[in-house]
Amino acid sequence: MTLLSKRVVGGKEALPKEFPFVVNVQNAKGQRSLQCVGTILHNQVIVVPAFCVVHPDTHSPVDRQDLVVGYGSEIRSQQKHARVVKIAANHDFVRKEMANDIALLQVEPLDLGRSGAQRIPIYTGSIHAGQELQVMGWGSDKVSGGEWSEALKYTNVILSNSTQCHKSRNYNGIEGRVLCTENRLNLGHDVCDGEFGAALVVKVNGHYQLLGMFSYHIDTSDEGYSQCAKDTSLAFYTHIYSYMGFIAATTQLPVDEFIAHIDKPANYVKYQSKYIVIFIIAVVAVWAMVKLLFKCWARYGRLDEPAYELAVHSAGPDALSDAEFVHRPHVEIMDITS
């Protein structure tokens, strides 16, 4: 397996803000010089391959300070940089077999929206062989060699469930933990080994959802892991939804934070609910004030009870305070025990 080759073969340059959920992750220290792709799941959570953040010798996460996370633009030189706070790799990751190739980065809070970046929800729907998907990264479009692309590129790939996919020991069917695409189904369109983590996305009602992230290749004409962009090559992707337990347990956030509201940022429902409740309380308060002012006018100035008291009572003793809606602690990414 040529681990440091770098290319998106047959790719087109992405339009501005076409894939705002994709980030560039680089580890430029020492012999671990490597570029990977990450995907924003939450304003503090980025999913990446474990391969990119686990040291091959110590099998422990690399130093978080060695990672550079670029986001907010499809042009690498125009990206903002986010500081990595913690790294949590799946404890069942096996480098030799590229099994359970998933990790999470906790980053300092990203300014989603204004920064040009957005989260992407995880796809929970059905999938089928022959389904056309898109995958993207910052690789060269050359089959061999070439420099990193300055612009984000994407290409189309076809989901497969053929017997060829079972050449990988990790593959156990189209709904399993690993997804498979066959290059022969769409010749000349592929990602390569340098684009670890390239997001595999599906479009639902005009909005993208995250299905998988690129992990490795197998060339069916040879034994073992080999080259991409050949009519005999297979690409394998970590199936993100299969790891929802890992994601939820690691972040200590509810599953709905990662799968709901296709076109809304994480926490949208929480903030929307806050404003709905505030609006209801305001309406009740205004109604109470009008009612009491009318009574005051009718009685020439007598006011039996303060308006603010009635408004509070109308809201009910179980009404949530504004602080309860707004407050949520920062994501605390923790190691997952088997």
Side-chain angles (χ1 to χ4, degrees):
M1 180 165 52
T2 308
L3 294 181
L4 297 182
S5 58
K6 43 188 184 292
R7 45 197 177 267
V8 173
V9 181
K12 299 178 181 179
E13 288 193 6
L15 298 174
K17 299 182 180 180
E18 188 173 8
F19 306 108
F21 44 83
V22 179
V23 304
N24 182 262
V25 181
Q26 294 189 51
N27 184 340
K29 297 293 177 118
Q31 296 181 350
R32 284 289 293 161
S33 180
L34 184 66
Q35 174 176 262
C36 293
V37 180
T39 307
I40 302 172
L41 301 182
H42 182 276
N43 76 327
Q44 294 178 70
V45 182
I46 293 172
V47 63
V48 296
F51 174 85
C52 295
V53 296
V54 172
H55 198 283
D57 299 324
T58 65
H59 307 293
S60 298
V62 299
D63 188 336
R64 62 181 177 81
Q65 297 183 14
D66 291 347
L67 298 180
V68 178
V69 176
Y71 72 98
S73 175
E74 69 284 350
I75 306 299
R76 287 196 298 140
S77 62
Q78 297 177 11
Q79 290 179 330
K80 300 175 176 64
H81 290 156
R83 183 175 62 90
V84 176
V85 178
K86 289 188 179 180
I87 301 171
N90 190 297
H91 279 185
D92 294 325
F93 169 60
V94 180
R95 177 178 293 272
K96 184 177 179 180
E97 299 177 0
M98 296 295 280
N100 302 301
D101 187 19
I102 185 171
L104 299 176
L105 302 181
Q106 179 187 348
V107 296
E108 59 188 357
L110 305 177
D111 183 16
L112 299 183
R114 286 186 296 179
S115 66
Q118 287 290 350
R119 65 177 284 266
I120 182 174
I122 295 170
Y123 182 68
T124 62
S126 61
I127 53 178
H128 59 85
Q131 188 170 356
E132 186 170 295
L133 307 166
Q134 289 183 309
V135 62
M136 67 258 356
W138 279 273
S140 167
D141 61 1
K142 297 180 180 178
V143 175
S144 62
E147 299 296 327
W148 299 119
S149 173
E150 174 69 4
L152 181 68
K153 295 182 179 181
Y154 70 95
T155 192
N156 297 330
V157 293
I158 306 295
L159 197 62
S160 178
N161 190 28
S162 74
T163 56
Q164 296 290 329
C165 293
H166 289 273
K167 288 183 177 291
S168 171
R169 284 179 289 182
N170 299 326
Y171 187 79
N172 62 352
I174 201 164
E175 296 286 354
R177 290 197 161 195
V178 171
L179 302 169
C180 172
T181 64
E182 258 187 290
N183 194 54
R184 70 176 179 84
L185 299 176
N186 193 19
L187 292 176
H189 296 264
D190 202 1
V191 289
C192 254
D193 298 323
E195 288 305 332
F196 299 109
L200 184 70
V201 300
V202 58
K203 213 167 194 178
V204 180
N205 298 326
H207 299 273
Y208 288 110
Q209 296 190 28
L210 180 65
L211 178 59
M213 64 178 177
F214 174 60
S215 182
Y216 60 93
H217 275 96
I218 287 182
D219 182 359
T220 59
S221 65
D222 275 337
E223 297 227 3
Y225 301 84
S226 192
Q227 297 187 21
C228 56
K230 296 174 61 179
D231 58 4
T232 55
S233 65
L234 306 169
F236 291 89
Y237 299 77
T238 301
H239 188 185
I240 303 299
Y241 183 62
S242 296
Y243 290 90
M244 278 307 310
F246 164 73
I247 294 169
T250 301
T251 62
Q252 299 295 292
L253 291 172
V255 169
D256 281 351
E257 288 280 355
F258 301 103
I259 65 174
H261 321 298
I262 297 170
D263 58 346
K264 301 293 188 288
N267 297 334
Y268 174 79
V269 170
K270 176 185 67 176
Y271 291 117
Q272 186 185 52
S273 299
K274 178 189 74 172
Y275 293 123
I276 290 174
V277 171
I278 291 174
F279 175 76
I280 292 172
I281 292 175
V283 169
V284 171
V286 170
W287 172 82
M289 181 67 74
V290 170
K291 180 179 178 180
L292 289 173
L293 286 175
F294 180 80
K295 288 171 66 177
C296 179
W297 171 78
R299 299 182 185 183
Y300 301 100
R302 291 182 58 196
L303 188 61
D304 293 334
E305 55 181 336
Y308 76 86
E309 188 176 326
L310 177 59
V312 171
H313 290 169
S314 299
D318 297 325
L320 292 175
S321 69
D322 187 64
E324 287 174 308
F325 278 100
V326 172
H327 177 67
R328 170 166 288 178
H330 288 323
V331 176
E332 183 68 14
I333 294 182
M334 305 170 67
D335 287 337
I336 302 300
T337 56
S338 299

